[in-house]
Amino acid sequence: MGENEMAVFGVSEAEEEIYRHFLRNPGTAADDLHLLLHNEPGQARARIGRLEELGLLRADGDGRRIVPVDPETALSRLVDLRLHTLHQELQRVTRSRHVIDGLRAEQGARTPPPQGIEQLEGLAQIRNRIDDLAFFARDEILSVEPYTRLSPENIARSRPLDLRCLRRGVRIRNVVSSVALQDPPTAAYLRELSEHGAAIRVTTDTTERLLVYDRRAALVPLDPRDTSRGALLAHRSGLVSNIIALFEKIWDQAEELPPADGGNGTSRGDLSAMERRVLVAMCTVGKDEAGARELGVSVRTYRRHVAELMQTLGAASRAQAALLARERGWI
């Protein structure tokens, strides 16, 4: 028969041989199959039973004869089952951070988890730690980066990790300098991240540089004007909480990333990713606190987004705003 083409669906070579036999000879008596395929009777019955469970075969009439299910119907069902299994497996993999914590516990006191403050020397060490922190982030990444442009090398280095985080459901909130939008490649990259779910804001008056991962580790440069001098990495300390508070202050004062055309982003129903998420939250989440948690923003920021959307829609209430948004095809 050649290669076991149905192995990807969890069908063994012997089971595939039986299914193909029934496609060629529908209605073969189950009791005679072992003679045709030179199998033991018990093996043939077991394999037929499994093929029935998979939806590839079914008993006809009194159950003495077996007929094959149409390949398109049968394989469509197997594809759905396989994709569901793979999705569950992917979820288990991306939620396996507890395995790392358990393995660290095995190390005991010999290699305790990082605490306090580390000093990182040189750009290479800083970049490597940033890559590690981003790779293992599982909940949220906060950043303030007042660069005026990103080089093609920086974008090529950052894009895979950033998009990987967003695909895994990690929330990204990033505040950048408005000057960076004057550089087309940088602006295009920021809007690409926004389209994939990152929350991007711009500001004109900050020189702060900071990165926070899962609210457990925070990275700040020794000298914001010269990052090559090194950085401090704080772990689970009061300093991390203070850095998060500083980020939230900068975030609240920053403005939404403007659309590429320079308009308000809603003249033709072309909402930003954040606006769409706010609309969905308005329609599906009850309390503002729950909506803010869903979007990874403060309650105050969430309410401001809601108010701005209601004003854009000309709605007197949230219910009316949701109705108008649906009528315009925004959600």
Side-chain angles (χ1 to χ4, degrees):
M1 182 183 65
E3 176 179 13
N4 180 199
E5 296 178 341
M6 297 177 67
V8 68
F9 303 115
V11 178
S12 71
E13 184 174 358
E15 291 165 348
E16 181 175 346
E17 183 182 6
I18 292 173
Y19 179 59
R20 288 178 181 272
H21 170 82
F22 278 108
L23 288 174
R24 295 190 299 269
N25 306 280
T28 299
D31 292 340
D32 299 335
L33 185 64
H34 69 284
L35 298 174
L36 296 171
L37 299 179
H38 308 292
N39 292 147
E40 293 294 327
Q43 287 181 331
R45 282 194 295 270
R47 288 165 181 162
I48 289 174
R50 184 162 189 277
L51 290 169
E52 288 179 326
E53 290 176 3
L54 292 172
L56 292 168
L57 299 178
R58 61 180 175 82
D60 188 29
D62 59 4
R64 293 176 57 84
R65 294 191 175 276
I66 305 296
V67 295
V69 175
D70 178 72
E72 184 173 355
T73 301
L75 291 187
S76 294
R77 179 175 179 272
L78 287 180
V79 167
D80 289 342
L81 290 172
R82 184 62 174 155
L83 290 176
H84 178 69
T85 301
L86 290 173
H87 178 67
Q88 289 182 318
E89 183 67 17
L90 180 61
Q91 286 183 318
R92 285 195 293 270
V93 170
T94 57
R95 294 172 183 170
S96 61
R97 177 70 187 186
H98 67 279
V99 176
I100 297 174
D101 296 336
L103 292 174
R104 279 180 171 163
E106 295 289 342
Q107 293 178 298
R110 292 185 299 112
T111 312
Q115 299 289 339
I117 298 175
E118 295 179 68
Q119 183 166 338
L120 307 180
E121 304 289 346
L123 286 176
Q125 186 180 15
I126 294 171
R127 285 172 178 167
N128 288 337
R129 290 306 295 273
I130 288 175
D131 288 350
D132 288 343
L133 290 164
F135 187 86
F136 289 108
R138 51 179 174 169
D139 296 317
E140 181 182 54
I141 298 175
L142 313 175
S143 65
V144 177
E145 301 174 277
Y147 50 72
T148 56
R149 65 179 293 272
L150 288 172
S151 68
E153 294 77 17
N154 281 337
I155 293 174
R157 179 186 179 88
S158 301
R159 176 182 280 115
L161 275 175
D162 288 340
L163 295 181
R164 176 184 180 275
C165 288
L166 292 168
R167 285 195 299 269
R168 291 170 52 234
V170 176
R171 295 187 302 272
I172 292 181
R173 287 195 284 157
N174 188 8
V175 180
V176 301
S177 170
S178 56
V179 177
L181 300 183
Q182 298 174 16
D183 178 63
T186 302
Y189 176 56
L190 292 172
R191 291 192 171 97
E192 178 185 3
L193 294 182
S194 178
E195 289 170 0
H196 282 81
I200 310 290
R201 290 193 176 185
V202 296
T203 183
T204 58
D205 60 357
T206 184
T207 58
E208 302 291 343
R209 291 180 184 270
L210 60 91
L211 288 163
V212 182
Y213 299 89
D214 291 337
R215 298 183 174 259
R216 296 183 178 185
L219 184 74
V220 293
L222 288 173
D223 182 350
R225 294 166 297 182
D226 184 5
T227 55
S228 65
R229 292 185 58 187
L232 297 178
L233 180 60
H235 301 273
R236 301 181 184 179
S237 65
L239 179 57
V240 174
S241 298
N242 289 333
I243 292 172
I244 292 173
L246 174 60
F247 169 84
E248 295 293 355
K249 180 179 179 181
I250 296 171
W251 176 263
D252 285 343
Q253 294 174 349
E255 300 294 330
E256 295 290 341
L257 178 69
D261 61 6
N264 61 16
T266 58
S267 59
R268 296 182 301 275
D270 185 18
L271 299 177
S272 69
M274 175 58 74
E275 288 170 329
R276 284 194 295 270
R277 292 173 66 197
V278 171
L279 275 173
V280 171
M282 285 172 60
C283 296
T284 59
V285 178
K287 296 183 179 180
D288 287 350
E289 290 78 6
R293 283 196 302 272
E294 182 76 15
L295 271 65
V297 300
S298 68
V299 175
R300 173 185 168 192
T301 299
Y302 176 78
R303 287 172 176 162
R304 188 179 75 230
H305 281 309
V306 171
E308 289 171 352
L309 281 169
M310 289 176 59
Q311 182 177 5
T312 299
L313 288 160
S317 68
R318 297 188 184 196
Q320 185 185 13
L323 180 62
L324 290 172
R326 286 194 178 100
E327 289 176 351
R328 297 185 188 187
W330 290 4
I331 53 174

